[in-house]
Amino acid sequence: MSMRIAVALAATIGAGILMSTAAEARPEMVGLHGGEYSPGTIVVKTNERRLYLILDDGHAVRYPVGVGKSGKQWAGTTRIDGKYRNPAWSPPAEVKRDKPQLPDVIPGGSPRNPMGVAAMTLAGGEYAIHGTNVPGSVGGFVSYGCIRMLNDDITDLYSRVSVGTTVVVTR
């Protein structure tokens, strides 16, 4: 193989990797069928591992998410009851029981903080829609019930919704 071909191939592969990585952290505009959710509603489809922000009766912004692992999933309707940038995190009792070595509080901004750059708490429980400092976990069944997003995606969603926004989680 000539040096010119090798360089061109390496450049093409490198550009493909960079482009695919960048695309993962961008919300995607998608069409929806039916109009079962009001504009402004957040819909999490656990089995798809996707979160949808409904824009109108035919369109939504879609994000990849990590969701509850086996036995930790839930479904229902709630609302956002708080919005926080760089939140500190205290492990809930169930997490602390499973991982007693965790500190009682991990400060916001720490690379060990599982909340990432922002969190929106959900009414009625210990769950949140939040960022992550482990981007490879997004797209999997990974949490104790929280909805985990890439930091760029939670930043985008955070700017689009407010306290009181309806959140519907389906399986």
Side-chain angles (χ1 to χ4, degrees), residues 7 15 32 36 39 54 66 80 99-100 114-115 121-122 124-125 132 146 151 164:
V7 169
L32 292 178
E36 63 185 290
I54 308 302
I80 294 172
K99 300 175 183 182
M115 302 297 271
T121 54
L122 302 177
T132 182
C146 284
N151 282 329

Side-chain angles (χ1 to χ4, degrees), residues 4-20:
R4 185 185 302 176
I5 293 172
V7 169
L9 182 60
T12 302
I13 292 170
I17 289 169
L18 288 174
M19 289 169 55
S20 66

